[in-house]
């Protein structure tokens, strides 16, 4: 099985849930102080949010499974952080599931969707710490 990316033990691939678009947004924090007759002075405060957005189309009759969406919902319900690793071995850090959107269309006579568009939002929560992998964020060690 070829892996596109893994979030904890969940593997994104053709047989589970393949994404067509991956967007990463990183931010850095800068404080601004107004000055008379000059541009505002800025001071770097550190790194900000690091968010991944994965989106795609699931067609259970052809590829993937609706069970994959159930697994992601369960992971989100745990509130735990998970390591995010791409198929080339790059480790991005620990991420939580911030949101999962689904749009179902093209239905069978029993109401099952033949086409499910999804968007998954992941937010980085670690500061280079890896000891809380798969644990609830509220648990204190």
């Amino acid at each position: 099985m070829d892996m596109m990316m893994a979030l904890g033990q969940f593997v994104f691939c053709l047989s589970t849930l393949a994404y067509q678009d991956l967007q990463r947004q990183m931010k850095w924090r800068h404080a601004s102080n107004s000055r008379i007759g000059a541009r505002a002075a800025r001071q770097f405060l550190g790194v900000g949010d690091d968010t991944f957005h994965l989106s795609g189309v699931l067609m259970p009759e052809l590829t993937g499974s609706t069970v994959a969406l159930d697994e992601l919902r369960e992971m989100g319900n745990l509130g735990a952080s998970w390591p995010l690793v791409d198929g080339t071995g790059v480790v991005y850090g620990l991420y939580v599931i911030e949101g999962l959107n689904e749009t179902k269309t093209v239905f069978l006579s029993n109401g099952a969707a033949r086409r499910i568009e999804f968007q998954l939002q992941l937010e980085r929560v670690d500061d280079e710490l890896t000891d809380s992998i798969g644990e609830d964020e509220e648990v204190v060690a």
Side-chain angles (χ1 to χ4, degrees):
M1 161 174 53
D2 289 328
M3 177 181 91
M4 299 171 72
M5 185 171 281
L7 178 65
Q9 295 297 310
F10 183 87
V11 177
F12 293 90
C13 62
L14 289 178
S15 63
T16 59
L17 192 64
Y19 53 85
Q20 283 80 39
D21 295 308
L22 182 150
Q23 179 186 27
R24 183 180 188 186
Q25 182 180 31
M26 297 179 70
K27 295 183 180 180
W28 293 268
R29 298 176 300 127
H30 296 268
S32 175
N33 292 313
S34 297
R35 298 185 301 178
I36 297 173
R39 293 180 195 256
R42 294 202 171 266
Q43 180 179 7
F44 179 63
L45 299 177
V47 296
D49 293 337
D50 186 358
T51 306
F52 274 87
H53 295 271
L54 307 173
S55 62
V57 177
L58 173 64
M59 295 186 184
E61 293 179 313
L62 301 175
T63 183
S65 169
T66 57
V67 172
L69 293 172
D70 295 336
E71 289 177 29
L72 287 173
R73 272 190 291 276
E74 287 183 30
M75 290 172 69
N77 289 341
L78 291 174
S81 58
W82 309 93
L84 184 65
V85 182
D86 73 16
T88 65
V90 175
V91 178
Y92 293 98
L94 296 177
Y95 286 77
V96 294
I97 297 175
E98 284 282 317
L100 175 62
N101 298 325
E102 301 172 44
T103 303
K104 297 180 179 184
T105 56
V106 189
F107 296 95
L108 297 171
S109 61
N110 66 359
R114 297 177 72 189
R115 178 183 171 92
I116 304 169
E117 295 179 28
F118 68 91
Q119 298 88 33
L120 178 67
Q121 182 179 342
L122 307 173
E123 187 72 41
R124 187 169 179 171
V125 294
D126 69 326
D127 287 321
E128 307 304 325
L129 300 176
T130 57
D131 58 348
S132 62
I133 294 173
E135 293 182 3
D136 189 330
E137 291 300 309
E138 294 178 328
V139 175
V140 178

